[in-house]
Amino acid sequence: EVQLVESGGDLVQPGGSLRLSCAASGFTFSTYAMSWVRQAPGKGLEWVSFISNGGVSTLYSDSVKGRFTVSRDNAKNTLYLQMNSLKPEDTAVYYCAKYILSVASTIDYWGQGTQVTVSS
């Protein structure tokens, strides 16, 4: 059974940092590309970042480029999102998502999400 379990969400002040983790199980993690997607209160899903199966290729939305860094440890079956210089508009539930291929394609599994709140 595929499982994606996010953690690391918290309440943080503007300008602060957080590191999100996504623990994967039930599949060969190193085979598949992954993404982070978020949903702000009352809004739709927003793609945040992408990482290829080996971690060589990464992509970011314009809203987080230069502030967020996606990475993965295939030995630990874990995906990470380092978030720096956080802004109130980064407040959202953050989900990790698995693609069906090693490159950007269709997402077939989602985690349950972790809440990030940026507020003073």
Side-chain angles (χ1 to χ4, degrees), residues 7-8 17-22 35-38 48-50 59-60 64 67-72 78-84 86 94-96 114 116:
S7 61
S17 297
L18 278 177
R19 188 197 199 198
L20 305 184
S21 299
C22 171
S35 266
W36 288 97
V37 180
R38 68 186 181 185
V48 173
S49 68
F50 164 88
L59 295 169
Y60 300 92
V64 307
R67 300 187 297 121
F68 290 11
T69 303
V70 61
S71 62
R72 64 192 296 162
T78 303
L79 176 72
Y80 302 100
L81 185 67
Q82 178 66 44
M83 305 187 295
N84 298 329
L86 283 161
Y94 284 72
Y95 300 92
C96 65
T114 186
V116 172

Side-chain angles (χ1 to χ4, degrees), residues 39-110:
Q39 186 168 29
K43 297 189 176 181
L45 293 172
E46 177 191 13
W47 170 79
V48 173
S49 68
F50 164 88
I51 187 166
S52 60
N53 65 315
V56 173
S57 297
T58 57
L59 295 169
Y60 300 92
S61 67
D62 287 343
S63 61
V64 307
K65 195 174 299 182
R67 300 187 297 121
F68 290 11
T69 303
V70 61
S71 62
R72 64 192 296 162
D73 185 335
N74 285 343
K76 295 183 178 180
N77 292 342
T78 303
L79 176 72
Y80 302 100
L81 185 67
Q82 178 66 44
M83 305 187 295
N84 298 329
S85 302
L86 283 161
K87 305 176 181 180
E89 51 264 43
D90 294 318
T91 295
V93 177
Y94 284 72
Y95 300 92
C96 65
K98 170 190 170 293
Y99 289 94
I100 63 171
L101 299 172
S102 62
V103 296
S105 48
T106 302
I107 290 172
D108 58 352
Y109 286 96
W110 299 79

Side-chain angles (χ1 to χ4, degrees), residues 12-36:
V12 61
Q13 292 188 343
S17 297
L18 278 177
R19 188 197 199 198
L20 305 184
S21 299
C22 171
S25 62
F27 64 103
T28 306
F29 182 68
S30 60
T31 299
Y32 300 95
M34 302 288 294
S35 266
W36 288 97

